[in-house]
Amino acid sequence: KKEISPVMTSRGCVFHCCFCSSHTVHGRGMRYYSNDRVREDLKRLREEYGAEIIIFQDDHFMGDKQRAFEIINMLKELKMIPFFPNSLALYGLDRKMLEALKSIGVNQLVLSIESGSNRVLKEVMHKPLNLSIVKRVADDCRELGIYTDANILIGLPGERKNDIEDTRYFLRTINANWFRINVATPLVGSEMFDIC
């Protein structure tokens, strides 16, 4: 059995996705623990508590890509494996980043696609995602042996039946291992809650 510990190394998220309410707690501006603080915390979790798996609770771990690489190197030195339940921003998952994650034992990633409809992403969700990135990330993960869990939301106010069909069609074109289809729920503090 491996010891697991959750951590949060940053606060905030710069994005304005209509379904998210994390900004009501953490704000939109990014704030980070220093790398020295992160190293000290990880080292203590490893040495004093035997933590081998670290669950990163950061809303936007990829807010500073260079910092993300530095934390990956810390994890490698400490022989710790990260898990990212809140997903990682897809635009930051280039081949170099995916190879770095794989090198420290990451065998699964959640891909927060949310919709396969460009209209819904842009006009309804306000999520800055280029769908062509999704295909590349899923293909690279498949090649590297990283299991992918594609997250989709349906039923947002303003989404139409043909948008859902666009999403169904799009999902057939990506090489993910699993598809998690969720019915959108209006969270208190989100734009979607106000609309509903």
Side-chain angles (χ1 to χ4, degrees), residues 29-46:
M30 294 301 300
R31 299 170 322 284
Y32 304 99
Y33 280 151
S34 70
N35 283 354
D36 288 341
R37 164 71 188 267
V38 173
R39 181 185 305 279
E40 181 183 308
D41 288 349
L42 291 174
K43 189 174 179 190
R44 183 171 183 215
L45 288 169
R46 184 70 168 130

Side-chain angles (χ1 to χ4, degrees), residues 10-28:
S10 66
R11 297 286 191 277
C13 181
V14 298
F15 299 118
H16 293 262
C17 302
C18 75
F19 51 82
C20 185
S21 64
S22 70
H23 64 278
T24 62
V25 176
H26 302 137
R28 295 209 189 273

